[in-house]
Amino acid sequence: MNVILLGAPGAGKGTQAAILARELGIPTISTGNILRAAIAEGSELGRQAKACMESGALVSDEIIIGIIRDRLAQSDCARGYILDGVPRTIGQAEAMEKSGVRIDRVLSMEVSDETITERMGGRRVCPKCGATYHVAAVPPKRAGICDVCGGELVTREDDAPETVKARLAVYHKETEPLKEFYRSRGVLVPVEDKGSVEATSTAILELLKG
């Protein structure tokens, strides 16, 4: 099954993608991860992406879709995959269709802006090892200290209230229209927030069986 996880920043896409990948036995394809991998491998598209990033320019849709297409052609995607963070715009979605990328389900994670702002305000990250926590939902054993490496936890700049508000505005303007795009193709599946990671995962798996 080929799945897209759609939702605002902070809606829990990354968390649910990891759970789904484990439950379904298919890989999660994250835009950031495959960009970094393509650059590290030194592929032609990777070199083009690196040049864009080093010049401060946005990586073009053409390059991103090309890298995605190459990644989806790998053997571990033969039984399906989960796309997290792409497409971000109607243009990217159309380009994916034209390049032959087939999508079976688009899971739209429905979480209110208020809930997202609250969630992201409580998120803490370890700058040493990258482990993430939440002061309420997933707190560290010792307040402010990483369970994994003992590093001091920090709040990312991306999680500051003003930044979250700006990121949500971009999502509503550029990415949310994808809901109607995929609804018109009969593959959109809304996923209501169930209040916990586990309950939402269970709901998603039930929806995918339907």
Side-chain angles (χ1 to χ4, degrees), residues 4-5 8 12 18 27 34 50 58 65 71 73 125 191:
I4 289 173
L5 276 179
I34 61 173
K50 183 179 181 181
L58 290 174
I65 301 306
R71 176 66 184 87
V125 179
V191 179

Side-chain angles (χ1 to χ4, degrees), residues 7-206:
K13 298 187 298 299
T15 300
Q16 294 300 335
I19 294 170
L20 286 175
R22 184 175 66 246
E23 293 291 330
L24 300 176
I26 57 178
T28 294
I29 312 299
S30 160
T31 312
N33 289 345
I34 61 173
L35 271 175
R36 285 188 287 272
I39 291 169
E41 290 166 5
S43 68
E44 175 59 30
L45 287 169
R47 288 194 296 272
Q48 291 177 29
K50 183 179 181 181
C52 288
M53 294 165 74
E54 288 179 345
S55 69
L58 290 174
V59 180
S60 71
D61 286 354
E62 182 180 0
I63 293 173
I64 289 174
I65 301 306
I67 290 174
I68 290 169
R69 188 176 61 246
D70 289 350
R71 176 66 184 87
L72 298 185
Q74 294 179 19
S75 60
D76 63 334
C77 293
R79 294 179 56 248
Y81 48 80
I82 302 161
L83 288 176
D84 174 18
V86 67
R88 291 186 184 274
T89 64
I90 297 289
Q92 287 184 358
E94 291 174 339
M96 282 171 54
E97 280 192 346
K98 289 178 183 176
S99 68
V101 176
R102 179 180 58 80
I103 300 300
D104 300 308
R105 293 285 188 277
V106 177
L107 301 173
S108 175
M109 301 185 66
E110 306 295 333
V111 184
S112 71
D113 286 5
E114 292 77 15
T115 298
I116 285 172
T117 302
E118 183 180 323
R119 279 184 186 173
M120 295 178 79
R123 188 157 60 179
R124 300 292 183 269
V125 179
C126 177
K128 287 186 178 180
C129 71
T132 60
Y133 302 86
H134 190 280
V135 294
V138 191
K141 293 174 183 175
R142 291 171 56 205
I145 302 298
C146 177
D147 295 346
V148 179
C149 71
E152 187 172 345
L153 302 180
V154 300
T155 301
R156 296 191 321 174
E157 289 185 13
D158 278 359
D159 293 339
E162 303 80 14
T163 308
V164 172
K165 185 177 180 180
R167 292 175 69 196
L168 287 170
V170 171
Y171 167 77
H172 290 309
K173 179 182 178 183
E174 297 184 0
T175 305
E176 196 165 32
L178 284 168
K179 289 161 67 172
E180 186 54 42
F181 179 89
Y182 285 115
R183 183 180 288 112
S184 70
R185 283 151 176 77
V187 295
L188 186 77
V189 181
V191 179
E192 298 299 330
D193 180 37
K194 300 299 182 182
S196 74
V197 170
E198 295 78 11
T200 302
S201 299
T202 299
I204 289 173
L205 289 168
E206 287 299 318

